[in-house]
Amino acid sequence: MIVRIAQYRLTTRLMFGIASTAAVLLAQQALALIAHGRLTFLLLSAALPFVTVLFGAWSGALLLAAGLIYGALWMQPLGSLEVLGENDRVMLLAVFVVGALLILAGKQLAKVAQRAGKAEAANRDAAQRLLELERDARHRFDVALNSAGVPFFIVTPVLRDGHITELRWDYVNDAAARLFNPAAGIVVGSSTLYVRPVGWDADVLLSRLAPLAEHDGRDAFDVRVQAEDGEHWFHVVAASLEGSVVAWFGDVTPRVRAEQALSEADRRKDEFLATLAHELRNPLAPIRQVAEILEQPRLTDDGRKWCVAVLRRQSAAMALLLDDLLDVSRITRGALALRKEVVSLREVVDEAVEIARPILEAKAHELLVKPLARPLHVEADRLRLAQVLGNLLTNAAKYTPPGGHIEVATTAEDAEIVLSVSDNGIGIEPDKLSAIFSMFSQVNPDHHREGGLGIGLALSKSLIEMHGGRLTASSGGKDRGSCFSVHLPVDIRVVAAPAPARDAPAIVSALVKRCILVVDDNVDAADALTALLELEGHEVRTVYSGEEAIDVLNHYVPEVVLLDLGLPGMSGIDVARRIRTMPATKDVTMIAITGWGQPHDRARTAEAGFDFHFTKPVDVVQLNEAIDSAGTAA
């Protein structure tokens, strides 16, 4: 205790010294009254080391002198400093010797106390510095982990009977803490069996992290969590740390969903390619068979007419497939523009019915059209609206058993105009309703035999959205029919202008016979076009390369040149430029016939000097009109 007191500040030690001196003096006075001062020196002996340690050797010597004087005054003769008794003088001498030794001992004890105090102070300072370092390191640790923004935690195993039965949260950073339910209360110190991130499975945590607590190692795994807003995925990277487990984990839901979407898109692409091959083979098969029939010598005129009708139907079917694909491509690239005009919705419905009439009649469906009581006109793209409604009618006819009932209704509400097509066909299962508007999606995969590329509904949805509307679907389930509705914004409704008076149709005169050069590296295509033009009465020369075309033009000057662009060697563009530089042919009518029909392709042909640009297969009526126009340019 003396060593401890010696380390106190001066004011504290002074208080202890005054208190102890007062206690000694009181004790001396009491003993002096009882034993006439002979026992007071015992108190002096006890107090000397204490006073010496507190205030130094001089204070001890002063106390010893005061004690000796005080003791002499209480000895015989009482009240005199002169001590006459031999025994009393021996006692005072003994007290002096013992007191001096005690003062020396107190002085040494003070040195020991000073050294001990310095050592203890050094230890206390070291401990304080270690504590501050620990706090600083913990603060740095927290700041680093919290600023990273990536959830991080440390768990420690809880053993029962030598086995890990649960894990305890020892640390979670802010990013990890946000994943816990606020109602969970305190996380650190809680068991993973009862407190864990929302939706996480305690068994998964225990089974994947417990082995790392028993043996050093690393592990990485994904955790699937079912949350209120759907399925989420977390990627966890964990490692052993002196009997505990540290782990980082991050939300990889966007990556997993993207991978799933890519996988689904890849699957749909494969289905689409298979369907496309199927749909293209369908018209190619009768075309090939008709070609064989046309070669038969006993073919009658009626048979030939039938063959021509089949060829027209099947080539038209292929053209529709290609048109759908091109429309989807244009919409994806933002290259499709609407040609808006004032159009009657009744006329749109009538055109859509005409589009779907062949399949409606072929399957003997009953069609009921419910128009509005009053005419309704909108500002929209007439062709595209009819295309969408015709597609919905065609789908309804395809997926309704023969003899079914299909209904078209038009309603005008305050907020929107609705065109709906309903049927009593095979219906759509609820879990497939959300996917039917996706690209390459079939209404029912079990009905591929009905045909189609699975792009019709996606194309229709995009066309309606370009009008500012939306396309919806509903169904009561399998075999309970379906209803598709086109919702158009009411602000596209307009008042129709009076229809202008129409002139009487002009009488089409006979085609003027022209000198024509056909250039195409596809021999069958070139020969077929040549045969068609010759049947029209034109004089036709045919070559199969650009170089041959230039050679022929040196001695033959046609009025019209039908030129394919994708020629081997010298391209059609190069041939056209050469034709425009030759004096004899610089004014001929040049018509591009090609499979390339994008706007930039038409710009290239215009720049090269072409007068017309037709995509294959060429419409014969339009081609004849272009050829006939060559006479007006001459």
Side-chain angles (χ1 to χ4, degrees), residues 3 82 93 112 134 150 158 267 370 395 404 440 483 613:
V3 175
E82 183 181 3
L93 180 62
V112 172
E134 182 181 358
V150 180
V158 177
R267 183 189 65 79
K370 292 182 176 180
N395 277 348
F440 312 133
C483 178
H613 184 120

Side-chain angles (χ1 to χ4, degrees), residues 192-445:
T192 58
L193 296 177
Y194 309 107
V195 178
R196 56 189 176 276
V198 176
W200 285 52
D201 190 334
D203 293 337
V204 172
L205 284 172
L206 185 62
S207 62
R208 299 305 296 257
L209 300 182
L212 297 177
E214 295 177 325
H215 309 287
D216 290 344
R218 292 171 53 88
D219 192 13
F221 56 92
D222 289 337
V223 176
R224 183 173 63 87
V225 176
Q226 191 64 39
E228 293 181 357
D229 58 343
E231 194 174 67
H232 285 254
W233 291 84
F234 292 90
H235 184 67
V236 182
V237 178
S240 305
L241 179 66
E242 299 178 355
S244 297
V245 180
V246 297
W248 297 91
F249 65 98
D251 190 346
V252 294
T253 303
R255 186 203 73 190
V256 173
R257 288 178 179 172
E259 291 174 352
Q260 292 174 344
L262 286 174
S263 177
E264 178 65 14
D266 190 58
R267 183 189 65 79
R268 287 184 177 176
K269 179 205 67 177
D270 293 340
E271 289 184 358
F272 164 71
L273 291 176
T275 305
L276 177 61
H278 174 267
E279 291 301 312
L280 290 177
R281 288 192 186 101
N282 280 341
L284 284 176
I287 289 174
R288 186 171 184 176
Q289 292 164 0
V290 165
E292 297 291 337
I293 294 173
L294 287 172
E295 290 183 346
Q296 300 301 318
R298 292 178 294 177
L299 182 64
T300 63
D301 289 340
D302 290 340
R304 185 174 290 103
K305 291 179 180 178
W306 175 84
C307 289
V308 171
V310 170
L311 289 174
R312 285 177 176 169
R313 279 199 306 273
Q314 299 304 322
S315 61
M318 294 184 67
L320 285 176
L321 291 176
L322 295 175
D323 286 343
D324 279 351
L325 288 173
L326 289 174
D327 283 344
V328 169
S329 174
R330 293 188 189 107
I331 289 175
T332 302
R333 293 181 289 107
L336 182 66
L338 297 179
R339 296 179 176 88
K340 292 187 177 181
E341 59 180 332
V342 177
V343 58
S344 167
L345 280 186
R346 179 56 190 263
E347 293 179 1
V348 170
V349 173
D350 290 342
E351 291 181 15
V353 170
E354 287 302 315
I355 293 173
R357 188 175 299 281
I359 188 171
L360 289 169
E361 293 178 350
K363 299 190 73 172
H365 291 314
E366 176 191 2
L367 176 64
L368 176 62
V369 179
K370 292 182 176 180
L372 285 169
R374 297 175 58 187
L376 179 64
H377 294 79
V378 296
E379 186 177 14
D381 190 318
R382 179 195 192 109
L383 175 63
R384 296 304 183 182
L385 278 185
Q387 178 183 354
V388 170
L389 200 58
N391 182 40
L392 297 181
L393 275 170
T394 301
N395 277 348
K398 283 181 179 180
Y399 297 105
T400 299
H405 176 78
I406 299 174
E407 184 175 298
V408 180
T410 305
T411 58
E413 303 172 356
D414 293 337
E416 58 186 5
I417 301 166
V418 182
L419 299 169
S420 60
V421 177
S422 56
D423 60 67
N424 62 347
I426 62 173
I428 307 171
E429 296 178 5
D431 59 337
K432 296 179 181 178
L433 272 174
S434 60
I436 60 174
F437 293 113
S438 300
M439 190 66 68
F440 312 133
S441 174
Q442 294 281 348
V443 173
N444 192 323

Side-chain angles (χ1 to χ4, degrees), residues 42-298:
L42 296 177
L43 291 175
L44 285 175
S45 300
L48 282 174
F50 185 68
V51 173
T52 302
V53 170
L54 289 178
F55 304 108
W58 63 270
S59 60
L62 182 62
L63 179 61
L64 178 60
L68 289 174
I69 293 172
Y70 188 81
L73 291 174
W74 280 91
M75 291 183 179
Q76 296 298 329
L78 188 64
S80 174
L81 291 176
E82 183 181 3
V83 180
L84 300 178
E86 185 66 26
N87 292 336
D88 291 337
R89 287 197 295 269
V90 171
M91 180 178 290
L92 286 175
L93 180 62
V95 169
F96 174 77
V97 173
V98 171
L101 292 175
L102 289 175
I103 289 172
L104 292 174
K107 189 175 180 180
Q108 295 300 319
L109 185 60
K111 292 180 180 179
V112 172
Q114 187 177 10
R115 288 195 296 270
K118 290 181 178 179
E120 186 173 352
N123 289 335
R124 186 169 59 251
D125 291 342
Q128 184 65 28
R129 285 196 298 273
L130 287 175
L131 182 60
E132 290 176 356
L133 288 174
E134 182 181 358
R135 289 175 179 172
D136 185 61
R138 182 61 178 259
H139 177 69
R140 291 172 180 269
F141 181 75
D142 288 339
V143 170
L145 292 179
N146 290 329
S147 63
V150 180
F152 174 83
F153 64 81
I154 301 176
V155 292
T156 300
V158 177
L159 299 176
R160 287 191 181 89
D161 299 329
H163 299 286
I164 298 177
T165 58
E166 60 182 289
L167 300 171
R168 185 183 66 247
W169 300 104
D170 270 2
Y171 177 85
V172 291
N173 68 349
D174 291 345
R178 286 193 291 268
L179 298 176
F180 288 81
N181 190 331
I186 298 175
V187 175
V188 175
S190 302
S191 170
T192 58
L193 296 177
Y194 309 107
V195 178
R196 56 189 176 276
V198 176
W200 285 52
D201 190 334
D203 293 337
V204 172
L205 284 172
L206 185 62
S207 62
R208 299 305 296 257
L209 300 182
L212 297 177
E214 295 177 325
H215 309 287
D216 290 344
R218 292 171 53 88
D219 192 13
F221 56 92
D222 289 337
V223 176
R224 183 173 63 87
V225 176
Q226 191 64 39
E228 293 181 357
D229 58 343
E231 194 174 67
H232 285 254
W233 291 84
F234 292 90
H235 184 67
V236 182
V237 178
S240 305
L241 179 66
E242 299 178 355
S244 297
V245 180
V246 297
W248 297 91
F249 65 98
D251 190 346
V252 294
T253 303
R255 186 203 73 190
V256 173
R257 288 178 179 172
E259 291 174 352
Q260 292 174 344
L262 286 174
S263 177
E264 178 65 14
D266 190 58
R267 183 189 65 79
R268 287 184 177 176
K269 179 205 67 177
D270 293 340
E271 289 184 358
F272 164 71
L273 291 176
T275 305
L276 177 61
H278 174 267
E279 291 301 312
L280 290 177
R281 288 192 186 101
N282 280 341
L284 284 176
I287 289 174
R288 186 171 184 176
Q289 292 164 0
V290 165
E292 297 291 337
I293 294 173
L294 287 172
E295 290 183 346
Q296 300 301 318
R298 292 178 294 177

